[in-house]
Amino acid sequence: MMEGEIFAATLVPPGSMTPDSSMTLEQKTTFVFVILLFIFLGILIVRCFRILLDPYRSMPTSTWADGLDGLEKGQFDYALA
């Protein structure tokens, strides 16, 4: 750069600056949607870490063979015949 030049790092050319610099409705909607996605991602991360730390808490205590009368677990195949 030459001495005396002004370095302007703007994305919008100086001639097309709008006087109202507030966000448009589309930008507000996108911002709210992104915030909701981050909240949802945070909930999923917390849930996954809870499952990783204690994987057996979310499993039911009953098994598929609890309802069979007079059969041992693992003998369900013989009961079908």
Side-chain angles (χ1 to χ4, degrees):
M1 284 177 66
M2 306 227 1
E3 188 177 341
E5 286 185 17
I6 299 174
F7 180 73
T10 59
L11 297 176
V12 180
S16 64
M17 291 288 287
T18 58
D20 186 23
S21 62
S22 65
M23 293 173 41
T24 64
L25 181 62
E26 292 174 353
Q27 289 172 334
K28 290 177 184 177
T29 306
T30 305
F31 185 72
V32 169
F33 183 69
V34 168
I35 294 298
L36 289 175
L37 282 178
F38 275 121
I39 292 171
F40 183 67
L41 178 66
I43 291 170
L44 286 179
I45 288 173
V46 168
R47 186 170 185 258
C48 289
F49 273 109
R50 288 177 65 189
I51 291 173
L52 285 174
L53 292 176
D54 190 10
Y56 298 109
R57 184 188 66 211
S58 61
M59 293 176 61
T61 56
S62 62
T63 60
W64 59 270
D66 284 346
L68 300 175
D69 295 328
L71 294 175
E72 294 294 325
K73 291 181 182 177
Q75 293 181 346
F76 184 71
D77 295 335
Y78 300 115
L80 292 176

